[in-house]
Amino acid sequence: MTTFYSEFSKVLLSVDCIIFGFDAGQLRVLIGKRQLDPGRGEWSLYGGFVGHDESVDDAASRTLFELTGLRNLYMRQVGAFGNIDRDPGERVVSIAYYALINVKDYDDKLRKEHDVEWVNIKDLPPMYSDHRDMIRKARRLMQQKIKTEPISFRLLPEYFTLTQLQRLYEAVSGEPVDKRNFRKRIKEMEFIEKTDLIDKTGSKRGAFLYKFNKAVYNEDPIFKL
């Protein structure tokens, strides 16, 4: 081992993962009770320390896989959180990431195994350290991203109604969307494809189901609402 930088104090590096899901018309985030000191028993994001042999992106991907059992998730870095007193145990800098998953794809056995819960973002409890700040910043980034990229399809089932899509936009933005203007703009987007399938769970008449056409989107990646 070299002695470079020995005159400097060492800082621990961790990752924290903000996992968003959409269910029953609500934007939800996956959190659980912290299982180690300091802060044992407090509501917390799921995270871990970065290993010597991995990048911060690799550490986040590993952490997400441990929690969800899912690979190739939509994942984006939120930023670094490094207030001096953010962790009472040691000097720890955390790199936060947010990920989007379809709640139906998440094995509930894993949720119970890790003792985490889907919590409505409107009902977040007090949380350990700066984890609520991480969630707030991640949501702001998602609100910006959803206007320029079709990330909403990461949160929806393969087939969805326009009402489901509208409710998702409203849940992410926290504001109501004008139904007529919303549907007009959606129908102008060729990569949102209407199918012959009908969802009759909401009414006898039912509603047409739509799907995301990735091939068309890749040819014309314009997504603005």
Side-chain angles (χ1 to χ4, degrees):
M1 180 179 296
T2 67
T3 58
F4 298 132
Y5 312 125
S6 59
E7 68 271 29
F8 298 104
S9 60
K10 301 300 186 289
V11 176
L12 295 173
L13 183 63
S14 67
V15 294
D16 283 294
C17 296
I18 303 130
I19 303 176
F20 289 114
F22 180 70
D23 188 44
Q26 301 293 333
L27 182 66
R28 303 181 186 275
V29 63
L30 201 61
I31 62 176
K33 295 292 183 71
R34 190 168 165 88
Q35 298 179 8
L36 72 162
D37 293 319
R40 186 183 298 270
E42 296 182 35
W43 287 103
S44 170
L45 294 169
Y46 192 85
F49 289 101
V50 179
H52 287 286
D53 59 346
E54 60 183 356
S55 68
V56 289
D57 286 352
D58 289 341
S61 295
R62 169 181 56 76
T63 300
L64 285 169
F65 179 72
E66 289 173 357
L67 180 59
T68 68
L70 302 172
R71 296 193 184 277
N72 301 317
L73 294 176
Y74 179 92
M75 180 185 77
R76 293 293 183 273
Q77 191 177 112
V78 176
F81 292 77
N83 285 346
I84 295 174
D85 58 351
R86 65 173 301 275
D87 191 310
E90 274 287 354
R91 181 77 169 93
V92 181
V93 173
S94 182
I95 310 298
Y97 289 78
Y98 80 87
L100 310 179
I101 70 173
N102 183 343
V103 172
K104 305 301 182 186
D105 290 339
Y106 183 34
D107 189 341
D108 204 50
K109 292 180 181 178
L110 276 176
R111 182 189 66 77
K112 294 178 180 178
E113 178 183 327
H114 291 288
D115 196 21
V116 291
E117 298 181 20
W118 286 110
V119 176
N120 188 328
I121 198 166
K122 296 179 181 179
D123 302 321
L124 286 177
M127 298 183 69
Y128 176 75
S129 186
D130 47 12
H131 288 192
R132 282 177 64 110
D133 293 335
M134 291 180 179
I135 294 172
R136 281 194 288 264
K137 185 174 181 180
R139 188 185 187 187
R140 288 198 300 270
L141 293 174
M142 186 166 57
Q143 288 170 340
Q144 297 169 6
K145 187 69 71 174
I146 203 171
K147 296 177 181 178
T148 59
E149 293 183 20
I151 64 172
S152 55
F153 304 105
R154 304 279 185 166
L155 297 164
L156 291 169
E158 181 180 2
Y159 297 98
F160 53 86
T161 66
L162 291 184
T163 297
Q164 285 177 301
L165 184 58
Q166 180 179 333
R167 287 178 177 169
L168 172 57
Y169 272 84
E170 291 175 334
V172 171
S173 69
E175 299 176 345
V177 174
D178 181 79
K179 180 178 178 179
R180 184 166 62 178
N181 289 337
F182 180 81
R183 296 198 172 199
K184 180 181 178 181
R185 294 187 181 186
I186 290 296
K187 290 178 180 179
E188 292 173 352
M189 299 174 184
E190 295 183 0
F191 52 84
I192 298 179
E193 184 178 306
K194 185 178 181 180
T195 73
D196 295 328
L197 302 174
I198 296 178
D199 174 25
K200 293 187 177 182
T201 58
S203 67
K204 291 183 179 180
R205 181 181 178 185
F208 280 104
L209 289 168
Y210 289 72
K211 68 177 183 178
F212 172 54
N213 189 321
K214 186 176 181 180
V216 173
Y217 170 75
N218 287 336
E219 294 174 0
D220 187 17
I222 299 175
F223 192 85
K224 295 183 178 180
L225 285 174

